[in-house]
Amino acid sequence: MFKKAIKSFFSVLVLTSLVLGITLTVKGISDLNEKKIVGLASKIGMEGQVAGLFSKRSVKDLVLQVSSTINLGATPENNIVNKKEILFKIAIIADSENDYDNLNKALEKVKTLNVYEVVHLGDLTEWGDVGSMMKIKEYLDNSKLNYVTIPGDHDLAESVGNKDVTGLANFTQVYGDNFHILNTNGMKIVILDNSANYTPISNTLVEWFKAQVVNADFVMLSQPLYHPTNSRAMGIVDGEPTPVVVAQALLLLDMIRKSNVKAIIAADQHISSENADPVKSDLKHIVVGALTKARNLQTPRFSLMTVYNDKSFTTEDVIL
């Protein structure tokens, strides 16, 4: 009777532990080895049942396989671990402002990160002249990375000085559109230029944004729409508001709050941050740090956004 009980117990301990990965497997089986287990099994007539388990894999291999796929302590019907898989990564850079050295360093780092796309959120240049625009584009092209760009307020300066009301003449000459849609792995990112400090976005572009944001997952902008403490955001320069632009920022933010967008990612403040929206707590406002060494409140950096198969995401600073 005693031997029969031991045999029954051992059957559950060895076969069930190795195949199903019960708690005892992870905590204790790694201290055993094939010879010990098969030897113990032979004493109660189970060596044939056990030996086959080791034909190709060690105890350690079996434990690693089992423990990586079984949620110990969960009920049998819910015991499969939902392991996150990376859907894609995006490198988000901003405020290079003619700092070619740091832009190059950033692009070299990006090449090691297996990213889907590089997004430059503006202030590529200090003054928005065509020569500087072309120089930055040369670096981006030579990196062989997929990229899109939108302008920052610095990139509008020369065009505005040349009486271009939109400020976009030089930028569009070099880079084309100042708005983009990225679709990948069932996720949608809307990228919009809101860089002009004192001029509202055109009604045509606002209507485009309104239609696109409905089913978007992320929004990327030149300037933040909200920050709890910083004195610079869309329509606010050094604490001084331009009412018509502030009103438009609130309009865009209202559109986003009514959507399923998870995060608004912007730049221009030269300091990275993350804050919850004051109205919709699961909406994040993320600001990307600056690449330039000049007027930088932090060590130069960019951000890496990683999106997972459960549609969750993380962002992290990558310091140069």
Side-chain angles (χ1 to χ4, degrees):
M1 180 67 69
F2 179 73
K3 183 175 180 180
K4 183 177 181 181
I6 290 294
K7 181 175 180 179
S8 176
F9 172 77
F10 189 82
S11 176
V12 173
L13 174 64
V14 176
L15 294 179
T16 307
S17 295
L18 292 175
V19 177
L20 299 180
I22 62 174
T23 303
L24 182 58
T25 304
V26 175
K27 291 183 177 179
I29 201 72
S30 60
D31 294 330
L32 300 177
N33 57 40
E34 176 182 345
K35 184 176 180 181
K36 287 181 180 180
I37 293 176
V38 175
L40 183 57
S42 68
K43 294 180 180 179
I44 56 174
M46 293 181 60
E47 65 273 23
Q49 293 171 272
V50 175
L53 294 172
F54 300 99
S55 59
K56 294 182 180 180
R57 291 168 291 177
S58 67
V59 173
K60 182 178 179 181
D61 291 335
L62 287 167
V63 170
L64 288 174
Q65 178 186 335
V66 172
S67 62
S68 68
T69 56
I70 301 298
N71 183 4
L72 303 175
T75 56
E77 63 271 20
N78 297 313
N79 68 353
I80 301 299
V81 174
N82 182 20
K83 295 182 66 177
K84 287 187 178 183
E85 295 179 1
I86 294 174
L87 287 182
F88 60 89
K89 298 178 184 179
I90 290 182
I92 309 164
I93 62 178
D95 301 291
S96 48
E97 297 183 9
N98 286 58
D99 192 328
Y100 305 118
D101 182 49
N102 273 1
L103 175 63
N104 186 56
K105 287 179 181 177
L107 294 174
E108 288 302 311
K109 280 202 173 189
V110 170
K111 289 178 186 178
T112 70
L113 299 175
N114 191 31
V115 303
Y116 155 70
E117 193 89 18
V118 177
V119 180
H120 197 308
L121 291 181
D123 285 351
L124 296 93
T125 66
E126 289 183 300
W127 190 245
D129 57 288
V130 171
S132 294
M133 293 275 191
M134 292 297 295
K135 184 70 172 178
I136 296 291
K137 188 175 188 298
E138 182 180 338
Y139 277 92
L140 291 167
D141 289 343
N142 288 342
S143 74
K144 306 300 182 183
L145 295 162
N146 296 322
Y147 72 89
V148 294
T149 65
I150 53 176
D153 59 327
H154 283 247
D155 302 317
L156 309 181
E158 184 176 89
S159 294
V160 170
N162 290 335
K163 309 302 182 185
D164 170 39
V165 176
T166 68
L168 291 170
N170 288 353
F171 179 86
T172 54
Q173 177 184 332
V174 177
Y175 292 103
D177 290 335
N178 64 329
F179 57 93
H180 306 276
I181 296 290
L182 297 180
N183 283 296
T184 181
N185 293 85
M187 305 288 278
K188 180 179 180 180
I189 303 169
V190 179
I191 305 171
L192 176 69
D193 162 28
N194 67 335
S195 60
N197 292 323
Y198 307 104
T199 307
I201 302 169
S202 71
N203 290 333
T204 300
L205 199 51
V206 170
E207 288 303 310
W208 172 86
F209 182 79
K210 182 179 180 180
Q212 295 298 331
V213 79
V214 172
N215 60 343
D217 295 285
F218 301 97
V219 168
M220 296 186 183
L221 303 167
S222 309
Q223 299 190 68
L225 298 180
Y226 162 81
H227 194 281
T229 59
N230 200 294
S231 62
R232 189 175 184 89
M234 182 179 175
I236 304 173
V237 180
D238 298 328
E240 293 295 324
T242 300
V244 65
V245 182
V246 170
Q248 195 174 66
L250 293 174
L251 174 64
L252 296 177
L253 187 51
D254 183 61
M255 293 176 187
I256 294 169
R257 285 170 175 160
K258 291 176 180 177
S259 73
N260 292 319
V261 167
K262 300 170 181 61
I264 304 168
I265 303 170
D268 196 49
Q269 293 180 345
H270 286 220
I271 184 168
S272 59
S273 63
E274 179 175 330
N275 293 282
D277 185 77
V279 174
K280 188 177 181 182
S281 60
D282 60 348
L283 173 64
K284 303 299 181 185
H285 293 264
I286 298 169
V287 179
V288 178
L291 287 183
T292 181
K293 295 183 285 289
R295 298 177 297 100
N296 199 338
L297 300 173
Q298 296 173 313
T299 305
R301 65 193 61 203
F302 63 92
S303 289
L304 178 68
M305 182 173 77
T306 304
V307 180
Y308 299 91
N309 61 338
D310 63 355
K311 295 197 172 182
S312 65
F313 73 99
T314 60
T315 58
E316 60 182 293
D317 285 1
V318 181
I319 298 172
L320 298 188

